[in-house]
Amino acid sequence: MDTPLTTIAVVGLGTMGTGIAEVLARAGREVIGIDISEAAARQAVASLEASTARAVRRERITEQERRDVLARFRTFSDLRAAADAELVIEVVPETYEIKQQVFRELDAVVSPATILATGTNALSVTRLAAESQHPERVLGLHFFNPAPAMKLVEVVSSVLTAPPAVESVTRLARELGKEPVAVGDRPGFVADGLLFGYLNQAAAMYEANYASREDIDAAMKLGCGLPMGPLALLDLIGIDTARTVLEAMYSASHDRLHAPAPVLGQLGEAGLTGRKAGRGFYTYDAPGSRTVVPDALTPKAGADAVTGRTVSSVGVAGSGTMASGIAEVFAKAGYAVVLAARGQEKADTAKARIAKSLGRSVAKGRLTEEARDETLARISASGSLDSFADVDLAVEAVAEDLEIKQQLFTTLDKVCKPGAVLATTTSSLPVVAVARVTSRPEDVVGMHFFNPAPAMKLVEVVRTVLTADDVHATVREVCVKVRKHPVDCGDRAGFIVNALLFPYLNNAIKMVEEHYASLDDIDAAMKLGGGYPMGPFELLDVVGLDVSLAIEKVLHSEFRDPGLAPAPLLEHLVAAGCLGRKTGRGFREYARR
């Protein structure tokens, strides 16, 4: 097992197997591609020819290097071709029966020193190893799709795996230019273990008609900076594959968050398995295509015939970062803005923060000095909510405390003119509880901006059971005018983004609590394997552990799901005053400013 891995067999030449073969061949390894389908083998060769031709055109490799890569990749239809391989990586369909059959046949073909790696992302490596005559040489080697582009490789050890085998494949992964993360054997490992719970919750949210597929996907892309929305990603992964992974996770965890959403089974049974079938959550112009085409569920332009109320002036209540950012957004879009705080000094400080932000935009060439001055001139700083008497839209951005918000809305109800729209920026509290303290709950709506408001494109538009249609239409129209992307959702805890994001963060904390993986490995896995802009612990420390705990408690209280209970480690850190970057210590320590 300590010999260099120079000849490697890849069993199964689907999309993933072909990608792995390409990575190996480009790195100078002799690659033996094996698939019972001659068509799949031909397609794998054609794919490698096409990708290397693109690399030559882009001057990333020479023509001679391309010929060398192609010469190192040979295809066969019989497992006996793997006889001389030092490592065999299987990437056959995700069932125990097929994988176990491959391992049994390989035992009769390869040397006892040959390492056998499974590419599974859901099945038990230990169970597969137990079927082998030499379980000590069996491990998991989980690449991510597309294998040539994705940097993460999870190296999965069972209790039977010999350390030299792990060391050999870990060294190989680094030589391939990948980032190996060592993990134990449990369904989903790190990246998929966190990812698929989130995808499952998104599918359940869609199935419950809480939000449209387009709004769910847009919310997670724009609100979290993810490369794809969850439902589009399920279509890419394959809905049948996702359900298999979730079944394996649920059988191990018995966590209801992992119990596959019924819609996944319904789509799978109907053969609507995603891109590969040409239809899943979305419809594609052909099987295997990435091009989405309109279908019966696609929103139609102008379908909402309700006209919103006229808005020319906006009041923003609050003096913090969010209030300043929202006021800046409205003023940039040409609205007259009243920024009100508890006292003139706080209001002036908030306006000064806006001036500083606009100054940075000027310095970066994003804004002219004239536009900066015009924007600031549209903002009036006030020390009293009485200044909201004539605004058409009042937006509160005060502390995330229900009692404080209710007191504010009681005042807005008295101060604001009839017909003014009253909006709360709450991220987790019930909007209807704020609306009910007013004499006009039909005028109250949620307008959840994301921080920093000037940069983040998403606004969750939250209508209660009492919100008037024209109020909802007004906020959507205003969002478009201030160049934000509105998504519709109902008045329940977490709305779209936080309801999907924070259970994922909570599950990452549980992984650390269980000593399954380290903070660094989990963060690396989600950034490199999922394309996330930040790892979960980086994000938790930025958001604030106290804020995260409060949201987790709201979600647990609303949905009563045991899997949503805040991780004890999160509660302990908050109790100890370790709140993240703002205190200098959270999951990590930070230099004090």
Side-chain angles (χ1 to χ4, degrees), residues 13 24 75 139 195 296 316 387 415 423 545 549 579 591:
L13 295 176
L24 294 168
T75 61
L139 47 72
L195 176 66
V316 179
S387 56
V415 168
L545 272 56
L549 177 59
L579 308 183

Side-chain angles (χ1 to χ4, degrees), residues 55-374:
V56 170
R57 287 196 300 273
R58 294 169 182 171
E59 299 183 346
R60 293 175 180 169
I61 61 174
T62 66
E63 182 58 41
Q64 182 57 52
E65 287 171 332
R66 175 178 186 254
R67 287 194 292 269
D68 292 343
V69 169
L70 294 174
R72 286 194 289 269
F73 181 47
R74 295 167 292 148
T75 61
F76 302 86
S77 59
D78 194 312
L79 277 176
R80 285 174 293 185
D84 296 327
E86 291 109 17
L87 167 67
V88 181
I89 305 171
E90 70 76 15
V91 215
V92 298
E94 196 76 343
T95 71
Y96 279 115
E97 292 74 16
I98 296 175
K99 291 183 185 290
Q100 286 170 335
Q101 179 64 29
V102 168
F103 275 84
R104 282 193 292 269
E105 291 185 26
L106 286 172
D107 273 338
V109 169
V110 301
S111 158
T114 299
I115 299 170
L116 303 183
T118 172
T120 184
N121 62 347
L123 305 181
S124 168
V125 176
T126 306
R127 181 172 166 184
L128 292 171
E131 290 289 319
S132 171
Q133 293 176 8
H134 300 280
E136 72 281 357
R137 66 175 176 185
V138 178
L139 47 72
L141 198 55
H142 180 213
F143 287 78
F144 287 75
N145 195 25
M150 301 299 282
K151 290 290 187 183
L152 181 68
V153 174
E154 290 178 320
V155 180
V156 189
S157 304
S158 78
V159 293
L160 305 170
T161 308
V166 175
E167 292 164 9
S168 292
V169 297
T170 300
R171 185 166 56 247
L172 170 68
R174 291 198 179 99
E175 290 169 357
L176 297 176
K178 303 298 184 184
E179 293 285 343
V181 171
V183 295
D185 181 26
R186 77 180 202 182
F189 314 130
V190 173
D192 285 352
L194 294 176
L195 176 66
F196 277 87
Y198 149 71
L199 296 178
N200 192 42
Q201 293 305 105
M205 181 180 281
Y206 168 78
E207 185 174 23
N209 290 318
Y210 175 69
S212 70
R213 61 189 181 183
E214 288 84 2
D215 279 355
I216 292 171
D217 280 354
M220 298 313 291
K221 287 168 64 180
L222 298 174
C224 297
L226 302 185
M228 292 184 74
L231 303 180
L233 183 54
L234 280 165
D235 276 357
L236 174 62
I237 291 168
I239 288 165
D240 50 344
T241 301
R243 191 169 189 277
T244 299
V245 174
L246 286 163
E247 287 283 12
M249 289 172 63
Y250 180 71
S251 67
S253 70
H254 299 292
D255 186 336
R256 282 169 51 191
L257 298 179
H258 298 153
V263 69
L264 298 177
Q266 293 158 14
L267 289 170
E269 288 294 325
L272 308 179
T273 53
R275 281 192 192 180
K276 59 190 175 186
R279 188 176 164 196
F281 286 100
Y282 295 90
T283 300
Y284 302 85
D285 64 359
S289 171
R290 66 173 62 185
T291 304
V292 176
V293 296
D295 58 20
L297 298 177
T298 303
K300 294 177 175 60
D304 186 357
V306 178
T307 302
R309 302 175 187 177
T310 300
V311 174
S312 58
S313 59
V314 179
V316 179
S319 58
T321 304
M322 183 58 81
S324 300
I326 293 170
E328 179 181 331
V329 167
F330 282 114
K332 276 183 178 176
Y335 288 98
V337 178
V338 179
L339 179 56
R342 289 181 299 175
Q344 189 63 46
E345 185 178 347
K346 284 182 178 290
D348 290 339
T349 300
K351 184 172 179 179
R353 188 183 299 119
I354 297 171
K356 189 174 180 180
S357 171
L358 295 172
R360 286 194 296 268
S361 296
V362 171
K364 293 176 181 177
R366 297 173 182 168
L367 197 68
T368 65
E369 290 187 3
E370 182 183 8
R372 175 198 60 193
D373 295 342
E374 289 175 353

